[in-house]
Amino acid sequence: MNFLFHIGNYLMMLYRVFGKFTPWTIMRQLILRDIDTLIIGSTGTVIFLSFFVGGVVTIQTALNIENPLIPKTIVGFATRQSIILEFSPTLVSIIMAGKVGSYITSSIATMRVTEQIDALKIMGVNTFNYLIFPKIVAMMIYPILITFSMAFGIYGGYLAAVYGGFGTTSDFITGVTEDFRPYHVIYAYIKTLVFAFILATIPAYHGYFSKGGSLQVGKAATISFIWTSTVIIVVNYFLTQLMLT
């Protein structure tokens, strides 16, 4: 029953987010601030992780190919498929649940425990729209971040393959372009947009409805990460079933 209560409360929160809107002059500043914090501030981390994970995927694929009849191009093909279909949209989003999600939860929860949200309510502000809507809008450009992840993941794989002696430039590029289906990229971006909405709203929910003092802020951030990651994994399963089968 507690689980159903939280689902209902979450849906009611989403309804209120799109209720009374904050004036655009204020909202614009909030959106730009959240874009800087949530997206631009995460770019370096995403690029760094994607670059080295792409290299690891390439090395592991190459080391597990022992049959000389298997072409070297399979290394590039496997790297591309792993990065585009799963690592960039899904695993990066789980990482972002720890970085971005924890920030969203802790920042809103801090406003809750310091009674800043109550002060906004007294001034007649729709706190749901004021606090959560800018984060939803900011996260809608999250696919740009995933594009960087895909590009640097494949590039990291290329460098690992060529300079690690696992294949030539021609082999890797041929593998990357072999049997390429644009629909796989569309699938990845659709997943990314869904995950972006989850990353913006579930952490915000746990932050907004947190109770207690400063110790509960950390607890709310931890619970937020667990639930955000869980929902991303479950939704990923259903989206994969729906779009790839």
Side-chain angles (χ1 to χ4, degrees):
M1 293 300 294
N2 194 40
F3 178 71
L4 294 177
F5 167 79
H6 284 294
I7 292 178
N9 210 25
Y10 171 76
L11 294 176
M12 287 298 298
M13 180 197 77
L14 294 181
Y15 175 77
R16 293 169 183 166
V17 165
F18 298 96
K20 179 184 176 183
F21 274 78
T22 303
W24 172 245
T25 53
I26 299 174
M27 181 61 70
R28 180 179 60 187
Q29 296 301 318
L30 295 173
I31 292 172
L32 291 176
R33 183 192 65 186
D34 284 332
I35 289 174
D36 180 60
T37 303
L38 304 179
I39 303 298
I40 297 176
S42 302
T43 303
T45 303
V46 169
I47 288 175
F48 178 82
L49 292 174
S50 300
F51 180 84
F52 283 99
V53 168
V56 170
V57 169
T58 296
I59 293 171
Q60 290 183 347
T61 302
L63 291 176
N64 282 281
I65 297 175
E66 299 178 353
N67 193 327
L69 296 178
I70 299 177
K72 294 283 188 180
T73 57
I74 197 67
V75 175
F77 175 82
T79 300
R80 184 199 72 201
Q81 293 297 89
S82 299
I83 295 295
I84 291 179
L85 291 178
E86 209 55 44
F87 172 76
S88 289
T90 306
L91 296 184
V92 168
S93 294
I94 293 174
I95 294 169
M96 291 286 280
K99 185 181 186 299
V100 170
S102 296
Y103 168 79
I104 292 174
T105 301
S106 59
S107 61
I108 297 178
T110 300
M111 294 183 69
R112 167 63 72 187
V113 301
T114 56
E115 299 181 350
Q116 295 179 55
I117 292 178
D118 295 328
L120 289 171
K121 286 182 178 179
I122 291 173
M123 291 188 292
V125 176
N126 178 2
T127 53
F128 294 99
N129 180 263
Y130 182 86
L131 295 173
I132 302 172
F133 184 75
K135 293 171 176 55
I136 294 175
V137 175
M139 290 304 294
M140 288 301 104
I141 65 173
Y142 178 54
I144 296 176
L145 202 57
I146 297 304
T147 302
F148 285 127
S149 174
M150 293 176 182
F152 279 90
I154 294 173
Y155 183 62
Y158 162 75
L159 292 181
V162 174
Y163 292 100
F166 300 111
T168 64
T169 298
S170 177
D171 288 336
F172 191 86
I173 293 176
T174 301
V176 169
T177 57
E178 185 178 22
D179 195 28
F180 175 71
R181 300 179 185 179
Y183 177 73
H184 286 169
V185 178
I186 296 172
Y187 157 77
Y189 282 136
I190 291 174
K191 286 207 305 183
T192 299
L193 285 171
V194 174
F195 296 159
F197 187 80
I198 293 170
L199 285 167
T201 56
I202 292 182
Y205 172 81
H206 286 281
Y208 192 94
F209 292 102
S210 63
K211 298 178 181 179
S214 56
L215 290 176
Q216 276 63 44
V217 173
K219 183 179 179 180
T222 302
I223 295 173
S224 165
F225 170 71
I226 294 170
W227 276 108
T228 305
S229 302
T230 302
V231 172
I232 286 174
I233 291 170
V234 172
V235 170
N236 179 55
Y237 171 80
F238 286 107
L239 286 176
T240 302
Q241 279 283 91
L242 180 66
M243 299 182 67
L244 291 185
T245 59

